Amino acid sequence: MMIRKFALTAIASALLFSVNAHAGLTANQAFQQFNAVVLTDINSSSHLHGRTWAGGNVVGGEYVHRTLPTSDYAGLTALGSISNARVLQNGAVIKGSLSQTEINGGSSAIFGAASNTNFQGPTYVAGATSGINFNGGRVLDYTSNATLQASVGASESTNFANLLSTTSNFLSTLSNTSSVNINGGKATFNATADANGLAVFNLSDLDAANIFSKGEFDFNLGSATTVIINAALVDIDISANFLGGSAQKIAGNVIWNFYNAETVDFGRQFGGNVLAYKANLTNYADIEGSVFVNKLTQRGQIHQFAFLGDIPVAAVPEPSSYAMLLAGLALMGFVARRRS
C-alpha cells in the first residue's frame, strides 16, 4: 500500500511539474512575440526594435525601441554573452557574461560576470562584478522577483532550433496557389488565397533566381491574410525596390521561407518575415518585419510589425513534455506490476 501511494504521489508531482513549467511556444506565438530569433550569434551595428532571442553571443546593437507584445520573455535573451550593446526596456536574461552594455529599463538576470555596466532596473548578477552601477537595485535571488522568475523560466523553454526547422520544412510542402508575373525588371506577386486566407508561392530554383534578380517588387495580396513564399536556393541575394510602400504593407502577413538557404543578403529595404533557419542573414538596409535565422549580421534596422497571419503548422511537443510523459508511464507500469 505504501509503495502504491508513493508511486501515485510521484505521478501527481510529475504531472503538476509539467503543468507549472513554461510551455514551449508555437510557431504563431513565436512570430507574434519576437522581432528576431537567432539560433547562434548576433553581430549588430544598428537597431532591432522588438524582442530578441539569441542562442549564442550578442555583440553590439540597440534593442527594444517599441512597446512589446505580451510575453514572459525579456526584451533581450542571450544564451551566450553580450557586449557593447544597449537594451532600452523590458530587461534582459543573459546566461553568459555581460560587458560594456547598458540595460536602461526592466528587470535583468545575468548568470556570468558583469563589468562596466549600468542597470536601471532590478538586476540579479550571479558572477563577479566590476564597474557596475545597480541604479535599479540589486536582486540577490532572482526567484524573489516575479518578472525575473518568469523571464528566466521562459528563456530556454522553447527549442527554437526544432520549432523553426519543423515549421520551415512543413511550409515548404504546401501546395502552390499563386503566381509571379515578370515585366522587364519588375516582379509582381499575385496571391490567390484558399478559404482560410492562405496563399502559397512555390518558386523553382530557376524562377527564384530570376525573380530575386529584379530591381522592383510589387504585391497583390487580394484576400490573402497569410502568404508563404517558398524558395529552395542556397544563396539568396535580393536588392529589389519594394514599390508603393509595400515593404511595410506586407510585413504582418508575408513569410519568406528560405528553407535551404545558407546565406541571405538584403541590399535594400526588405518587407516581410524571413524564415531561414540554416542561414547567416546580412541586411544592409532596413527590414520591415521579423527574422528567424541561424546567424544575424545586422547593418540596417529591423522593425517590429504585428504578425497578422496564421501559420498552418501543428504545435511541436517539447522534449520536457516527452520526458514527463515517459516518467508518468513508467511509474504507472511500476504500480501495475506491484499490484499484480
Side-chain angles (χ1 to χ4, degrees):
M1 179 63 69
M2 289 300 295
I3 293 176
R4 181 183 179 188
K5 287 183 178 179
F6 171 79
L8 291 175
T9 300
I11 293 172
S13 298
L15 293 175
L16 180 61
F17 176 83
S18 66
V19 170
N20 288 338
H22 274 87
L25 299 180
T26 65
N28 277 307
Q29 289 170 332
F31 273 68
Q32 290 159 1
Q33 295 180 25
F34 283 93
N35 200 185
V37 171
V38 180
L39 299 181
T40 59
D41 300 331
I42 297 175
N43 184 294
S44 175
S45 58
S46 190
H47 299 171
L48 207 155
H49 281 199
R51 179 179 285 109
T52 299
W53 185 96
N57 299 321
V58 175
V59 177
E62 192 168 277
Y63 302 85
V64 197
H65 277 250
R66 300 183 181 179
T67 301
L68 298 182
T70 300
S71 175
D72 281 341
Y73 285 84
L76 172 65
T77 300
L79 301 191
S81 296
I82 181 172
S83 61
N84 299 296
R86 180 180 295 172
V87 181
L88 300 186
Q89 55 185 320
N90 292 84
V93 172
I94 310 299
K95 292 303 180 75
S97 62
L98 180 147
S99 63
Q100 303 288 343
T101 294
E102 301 291 325
I103 311 293
N104 290 341
S107 301
S108 298
I110 316 302
F111 288 88
S115 61
N116 303 314
T117 298
N118 295 318
F119 296 109
Q120 303 301 333
T123 302
Y124 167 82
V125 178
T129 61
S130 174
I132 299 298
N133 291 316
F134 290 98
N135 296 327
R138 185 167 187 175
V139 177
L140 299 181
D141 178 3
Y142 75 84
T143 63
S144 66
N145 180 299
T147 300
L148 280 179
Q149 188 172 19
S151 61
V152 171
S155 62
E156 295 187 71
S157 62
T158 298
N159 183 338
F160 282 112
N162 186 42
L163 178 66
L164 298 188
S165 62
T166 301
T167 301
S168 180
N169 291 328
F170 179 81
L171 294 180
S172 73
T173 68
L174 296 177
S175 298
N176 187 78
T177 70
S178 306
S179 62
V180 181
N181 180 60
I182 303 294
N183 185 4
K186 176 181 175 181
T188 302
F189 293 76
N190 298 303
T192 301
D194 64 14
N196 297 316
L198 174 66
V200 179
F201 294 83
N202 287 334
L203 307 181
S204 69
D205 287 354
L206 183 62
D207 287 340
N210 183 31
I211 292 165
F212 295 164
S213 70
K214 301 306 178 186
E216 297 179 334
F217 282 0
D218 203 2
F219 299 85
N220 296 319
L221 299 190
S223 63
T225 54
T226 306
V227 178
I228 310 299
I229 302 174
N230 288 317
L233 294 178
V234 174
D235 298 303
I236 292 173
D237 191 344
I238 299 175
S239 293
N241 179 26
F242 282 63
L243 298 178
S246 57
Q248 292 95 338
K249 291 177 183 177
I250 70 170
N253 304 96
V254 172
I255 297 174
W256 300 82
N257 182 31
F258 301 141
Y259 53 93
N260 279 338
E262 296 177 1
T263 64
V264 177
D265 296 299
F266 297 144
R268 290 186 179 180
Q269 180 192 39
F270 190 86
N273 304 281
V274 180
L275 176 54
Y277 70 95
K278 301 177 184 178
N280 178 5
L281 169 64
T282 303
N283 68 307
Y284 298 97
D286 294 352
I287 295 176
E288 313 299 338
S290 297
V291 300
F292 301 84
V293 298
N294 181 59
K295 187 176 182 180
L296 176 62
T297 303
Q298 185 189 1
R299 300 295 176 254
Q301 296 187 25
I302 300 178
H303 297 152
Q304 173 187 317
F305 284 79
F307 180 66
L308 306 174
D310 184 13
I311 302 172
V313 178
V316 180
E318 289 296 300
S320 59
S321 299
Y322 285 122
M324 297 312 303
L325 176 60
L326 291 173
L329 291 174
L331 287 169
M332 291 175 69
F334 175 79
V335 172
R337 288 195 300 273
R338 293 296 302 178
R339 292 183 66 181
S340 64

